[in-house]
Amino acid sequence: MSLIIMEINCKIATLTLSNPSKLNSLSKGLVDELVQALKTCAEENELVVLLKAEANKHNVWSAGHDIYELPEGRRDPLSFFDSIEVLLREVQNYPGPVIAVVRGSVWGAACDLIMTCDMVYADTTATFAITPAKIGVPYNVTGIMHFMNRIGLNRAKEMFYTARPVDAETAAAWGILNHLYDIDELDGKVMEIAEQICQNSPLAVGVIKEQFHYLSETEVSMPPILYERISGLRRKVYDSHDYAEGIQSFKEKRKPIYLGK
């Protein structure tokens, strides 16, 4: 692997995003390696996975989607089989806790990845922003539910509508974080938690995780016609001028000019 660093220590696997020149963006190459690393950890019965990111000069944990890999238009940018969606399901289905350890800023799809992890611990440098509205991307149902399940409807709306970063203290108060630590405490405290988990029954931990997953997904029930409507609404966006303009303006490093059509 060239974009993921894997370390194993007594049933605790540490997977580190390692593409600092690209701010650890979730390119297909990096995501595919991360999915394979999770599969390897599951096959080798590693009970806990710590998800970290290599430091870079901009102090970004991950910049989120690699915008240059998003489709130009006329295709769902977040369809069921796209690499990041596959990764999020891999995290949810991993047979033990996947714990995000965050230093620095987390953007876009990387914020969704954080919300999908079982637990999140961060230091005071952390910030979290979900930014599809900035580039005209119609986010998908499962991604929005990840936020609603973790922080509730009103706070999820605020994050999506404004696309503003949420600082570490607010993230802790909102429930994005399990705990906020000082910079020099983070790694040691998280390792203590991982070691404590490893003292418990792997079978029980895995079954409890699966129950949490199923219960969180059954809180909201929608009739099939609403799923069809949401699909149609999302297609209206990714077929639009504004979607194409959002992607193009990002690539040209300019402010987008949205027309609402």
Side-chain angles (χ1 to χ4, degrees):
M1 291 186 182
S2 60
L3 301 175
I4 299 295
I5 299 171
M6 181 190 298
E7 300 172 276
I8 306 294
N9 181 22
C10 298
K11 294 302 176 184
I12 300 170
T14 301
L15 305 180
T16 303
L17 313 184
S18 180
N19 192 10
S21 66
K22 294 288 188 178
L23 303 180
N24 301 317
S25 64
L26 301 178
S27 65
K28 186 177 187 305
L30 184 146
V31 169
D32 288 349
E33 285 192 19
L34 184 52
V35 167
Q36 184 55 54
L38 287 166
K39 289 181 183 296
T40 299
C41 291
E43 290 167 0
E44 297 180 359
N45 298 315
E46 311 301 347
L47 180 55
V48 179
V49 172
L50 305 181
L51 185 57
K52 297 184 175 183
E54 192 169 332
N56 52 74
K57 64 181 180 180
H58 297 289
N59 198 28
V60 175
W61 192 87
S62 173
H65 262 111
D66 185 336
I67 304 300
Y68 293 93
E69 293 185 358
L70 286 175
E72 295 289 339
R74 317 298 295 182
R75 188 179 79 78
D76 188 346
L78 297 167
S79 65
F80 187 82
F81 294 108
D82 283 343
S83 60
I84 290 179
E85 296 303 307
V86 172
L87 170 62
L88 299 183
R89 292 194 297 274
E90 198 70 32
V91 170
Q92 288 178 322
N93 295 329
Y94 189 81
V98 178
I99 301 174
V101 185
V102 182
R103 301 179 186 276
S105 58
V106 183
W107 298 90
C111 195
D112 196 354
L113 175 58
I114 292 295
M115 295 290 184
T116 308
C117 289
D118 295 283
M119 294 179 282
V120 184
Y121 298 92
D123 68 18
T124 52
T125 68
T127 63
F128 304 85
I130 182 67
T131 53
K134 273 190 173 294
I135 55 173
V137 172
Y139 221 64
N140 56 13
V141 173
T142 54
I144 289 173
M145 286 302 301
H146 294 157
F147 285 77
M148 289 175 60
N149 284 340
R150 196 166 201 118
I151 61 176
L153 177 61
N154 289 344
R155 289 165 176 166
K157 285 182 178 180
E158 182 174 331
M159 288 191 74
F160 274 91
Y161 294 166
T162 67
R164 292 186 307 192
V166 172
D167 63 35
E169 290 76 14
T170 303
W174 282 10
I176 295 173
L177 306 183
N178 288 77
H179 205 94
L180 175 62
Y181 292 111
D182 290 334
I183 293 172
D184 58 353
E185 285 188 306
L186 179 62
D187 289 328
K189 291 291 188 180
V190 172
M191 188 56 70
E192 286 179 15
I193 292 164
E195 290 171 348
Q196 189 168 15
I197 293 171
C198 287
Q199 295 174 22
N200 298 325
S201 162
L203 182 60
V205 169
V207 168
I208 290 168
K209 171 171 176 169
E210 192 165 352
Q211 289 179 80
F212 276 126
H213 175 49
Y214 290 144
L215 289 169
S216 68
E217 290 205 334
T218 56
E219 287 179 359
V220 176
S221 178
M222 292 194 302
I225 192 170
L226 286 186
Y227 283 104
E228 296 294 335
R229 175 165 172 74
I230 288 170
S231 178
L233 289 171
R234 293 185 63 247
R235 179 163 187 169
K236 184 178 179 180
V237 177
Y238 62 73
D239 281 353
S240 71
H241 162 275
D242 282 4
Y243 175 82
E245 169 66 7
I247 301 298
Q248 190 63 29
S249 64
F250 178 89
K251 293 178 179 179
E252 295 175 358
K253 296 181 170 57
R254 61 174 173 81
K255 187 175 181 179
I257 302 172
Y258 291 130
L259 303 179
K261 59 183 182 180

